[in-house]
Amino acid sequence: RATLLIPDLPLAFDDVLQRALAKNPEDRFPSAGAFARALQDARDEAADAALQKDNHVLIVDDDEDMRSLLSITIEAAFPQTTIFEAEDGFVAFELAKAHHPKVCLVDLQMPRVNGLEFCATVLGTEALASTHLVVISARPEEESRQALAGLNIAGIFEKPVTPRQIVQYLKPYFE
């Protein structure tokens, strides 16, 4: 695979290049024009994938039902989004580094790495500086609210939160 040799090369080019370099001439493109069209299609596919990359949402909550509710709500309202889910801040940070979400919806009270620690880590990571963090938590303590105020959090919602509230809040990010 070409992407193993050149990691920055979009995956869309792998099949095109493998076909062009096939050992059996009958498996190759029938003409240079066909090869050029296939490369153009791969480039267009890679460009579309890059645009979709800007529509990633990461839901971070140890409550599986809450993650499902948020995921279903966001998917229905913004079908162009790609949604990732994590049950704690440790898993969430790994997903954030890999997918660079536009928005993270974060619960504060979670095992291992809590939401406050996750938010601080994301905001302290240069590659994730443009990520918008939205806290959704059951009665955040005053100490947590003060810490969040110092972290430049995009929004804070207190549970229970309705699907309509989430959709209204996220509209400017995805329309």
Side-chain angles (χ1 to χ4, degrees), residues 83 103 131 142:
I83 300 168
V103 176
T131 301
E142 185 57 34

Side-chain angles (χ1 to χ4, degrees), residues 112-155:
R112 294 204 308 174
V113 176
N114 68 38
L116 191 57
E117 294 166 328
F118 169 76
C119 290
T121 303
V122 167
L123 292 171
T125 304
E126 188 175 330
L128 299 172
S130 64
T131 301
H132 302 277
L133 298 169
V134 179
V135 171
I136 301 175
S137 192
R139 291 180 292 251
E141 299 170 4
E142 185 57 34
E143 182 180 305
S144 294
R145 284 189 179 274
Q146 290 174 355
L148 290 169
L151 288 178
N152 193 26
I153 300 299

